């Protein structure tokens, strides 16, 4: 369940004559993000000064500090940088002048040392080369990046956590607005909290659990809160408290015109961003959530079924669906078939005396049952943080289901394809509960609340040579579901090959989302292969 060092920026060199050992010698001057001046000869650093120290030595005084900033800016421009140095850049934003420094934004190009690191996505299968990666740290930095993209007529992608299955958070030749450095968490009244978009789920859980609070979200520790929320967001606690987006009270966003918009003044934008906001309308700079009491304990059961065959597959599918239908709202179940081994995970965080009886149809036929009862929740969640990337994989929604008949109608072909292709994983997760709440449905664009099960298709490999075979098997399974009538899909598990993706992700809400797009980004600055188009 996938939801289940200060970075060095610009580096410039130029020839310069410096006082060294009381005589003039030719050396190189290297500026690292305006922090120090390093004097090098034959690639060896022979002296290093801050700008302030350099001016003092030269007898120039602080009045010349802007000159040094200009020197850095010009050097960076020669190397293909934006020209943002320690002294900053004055940017005329319409009728407003905005002062921007590296404390607001670092504009990386392919010549920069840090570019490769910030350009690395979680999925090693995908490769993109944007013209600029704007490492934004403040709203002003985002506004500067948007203005630069508008002036150069660049396509813009927005990246926070970087887990986009199809790489929709990057592009070729455009700009990526990277929000990974914006990680502030601010506690407000009534146990509400404001979170910046760069926070990962592991950051959220560490901060929230310390205050005995809970946000219903996913399980994978390196997923970003921004993408998770804007596409819906589900996990162990969603059947009790709704999707992550259902707990979103307010957000702020910078649109294509560079202006900051607050959903306190626009409820339609809030509606659109609850399930349809992934990089479609602008750059979200903060999220305000309601939180819930952290449960005191967390029970989990891991069931293993080995040497699976087609008959056992059908038996376990029947048993799993029968059990999942009886789960309380604080229960969750996942069915994970990997080659010939089935793993069933069942969790519960509000102790029920009869819970063991509810899951008996599964425990009675499992090869092994491993319970962990009354576990400490913060420690328990770390078990589900998942692998750290980057890794080779292809993941996508395998559809949302009404019940087991959606699986059983293709059971033989589905099982045989998974069995014959090591690395393919088929998973089903429980939704339902409060996710189906009518009030949540009315206040968000997430459309599939009546479908209580979510399928996920996964493929993992270690070497590029394995990709073609696994992707072919992956697409065969997708065809089975599509021909079997399964067409609704979860937006946070996208696939570039979904035919009617507008209806698959958004149901009847797509036309309404288009109107929101037209208001905030009519020229489609924020665009990727499956972004919402203007009306």
């Amino acid at each position: 369940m996938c939801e289940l060092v200060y970075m060095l920026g610009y580096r410039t060199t130029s020839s310069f004559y410096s006082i060294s050992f009381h005589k003039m010698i030719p050396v190189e001057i290297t500026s690292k993000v305006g922090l120090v001046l390093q004097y090098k000869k034959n690639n060896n650093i022979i002296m290093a000064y801050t700008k302030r120290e350099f001016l003092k030595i030269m007898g120039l005084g602080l009045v010349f500090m802007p000159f040094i900033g200009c020197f850095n800016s010009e050097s960076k421009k020669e190397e293909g940088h934006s020209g943002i140095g320690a002294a900053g850049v004055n940017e005329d934003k319409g009728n407003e002048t905005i002062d921007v420094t590296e404390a607001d934004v670092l504009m990386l190009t392919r010549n920069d040392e840090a570019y490769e690191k910030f350009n690395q996505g979680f999925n090693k299968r995908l490769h993109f080369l944007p013209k600029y990666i704007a490492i934004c740290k403040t709203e002003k930095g985002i506004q500067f990046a948007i203005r630069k993209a508008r002036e150069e007529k660049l396509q813009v992608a927005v990246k926070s956590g970087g887990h986009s299955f199809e790489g929709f958070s990057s592009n070729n030749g455009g700009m990526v607005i990277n929000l990974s450095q914006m990680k502030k968490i601010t506690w407000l009244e009534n146990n509400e909290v404001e979170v910046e978009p760069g926070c990962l789920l592991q950051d959220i859980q560490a901060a929230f659990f310390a205050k005995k609070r809970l946000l219903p979200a996913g399980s994978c520790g390196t997923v970003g809160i921004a993408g998770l929320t804007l596409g819906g967001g589900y996990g162990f606690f969603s059947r009790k408290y709704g999707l992550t987006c259902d707990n979103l009270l307010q957000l702020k966003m910078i649109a294509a015109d560079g202006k900051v918009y607050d959903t306190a003044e626009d409820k339609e934008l809030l509606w659109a961003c609850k399930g349809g906001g992934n990089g479609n309308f602008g750059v979200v700079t903060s999220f305000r959530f309601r939180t819930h009491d952290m449960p005191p304990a967390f029970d989990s059961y891991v069931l293993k079924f080995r040497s699976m065959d087609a008959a056992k597959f059908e038996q376990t599918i029947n048993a799993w669906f029968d059990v999942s239908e009886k789960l309380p709202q604080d229960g969750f179940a996942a069915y994970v078939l990997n080659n010939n081994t089935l793993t069933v995970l069942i969790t519960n965080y509000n102790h029920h005396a009869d819970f063991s009886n509810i899951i008996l149809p599964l425990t009675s036929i499992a090869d092994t049952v491993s319970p962990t009862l009354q576990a400490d929740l913060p420690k328990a969640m770390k078990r589900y943080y998942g692998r750290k990337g980057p890794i080779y994989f292809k993941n996508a929604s395998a559809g949302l289901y009404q019940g087991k008949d959606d699986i059983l109608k293709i059971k033989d072909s589905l099982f045989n394809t998974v069995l014959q292709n090591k690395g393919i994983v088929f998973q089903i997760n429980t939704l339902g509960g409060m996710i189906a709440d009518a009030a949540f449905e009315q206040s968000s664009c997430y459309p599939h609340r009546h479908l209580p099960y979510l399928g996920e298709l996964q493929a993992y490999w270690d070497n590029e040579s394995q990709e073609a075979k696994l992707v072919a098997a992956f697409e065969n399974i997708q065809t089975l579901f599509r021909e079997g009538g399964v067409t609704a899909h979860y937006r946070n598990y996208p696939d570039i090959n979904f035919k009617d993706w507008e209806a698959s992700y958004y149901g009847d809400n797509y036309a309404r989302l288009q109107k929101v797009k037209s208001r905030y980004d009519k020229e489609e600055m924020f665009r990727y292969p499956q972004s919402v188009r203007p009306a």
Side-chain angles (χ1 to χ4, degrees), residues 176-188:
V176 172
I177 293 182
N178 183 302
L179 307 173
S180 61
Q181 307 304 298
M182 297 180 67
K183 290 177 170 286
K184 188 176 180 181
I185 296 175
T186 305
W187 289 93
L188 309 171

Side-chain angles (χ1 to χ4, degrees), residues 349-379:
Y349 52 93
N350 189 0
H351 189 67
H352 292 270
D354 61 347
F355 198 74
S356 60
N357 292 328
I358 293 175
I359 65 175
L360 185 61
L362 281 168
T363 56
S364 63
I365 61 173
D367 293 322
T368 60
V369 179
S370 303
T372 303
L373 306 179
Q374 300 296 301
D376 174 73
L377 182 63
K379 292 181 180 178

Side-chain angles (χ1 to χ4, degrees), residues 183-196 199 203-204 207-209 211 213-216 225 247-251 286-292:
K183 290 177 170 286
K184 188 176 180 181
I185 296 175
T186 305
W187 289 93
L188 309 171
E189 295 180 351
N190 302 318
N191 288 312
E192 295 176 3
V193 63
E194 188 173 82
V195 175
E196 288 190 330
C199 292
D203 305 323
I204 297 290
F208 284 35
F209 291 163
K211 290 185 173 290
R213 304 304 296 171
L214 173 75
L215 178 68
I225 189 63
N247 293 271
L248 177 64
L249 302 173
Q250 184 180 348
L251 61 79
S286 68
F287 300 83
R288 182 168 181 160
F289 294 104
R290 74 168 62 88
T291 65
H292 304 273

Side-chain angles (χ1 to χ4, degrees), residues 37 98 135 150 190 209 219 249 292 301 314 363 374 399 422 468:
L37 300 178
I98 181 170
I135 311 301
R150 187 166 65 246
N190 302 318
F209 291 163
S219 61
L249 302 173
H292 304 273
Y301 301 80
E314 181 175 4
T363 56
Q374 300 296 301
K422 190 174 182 180

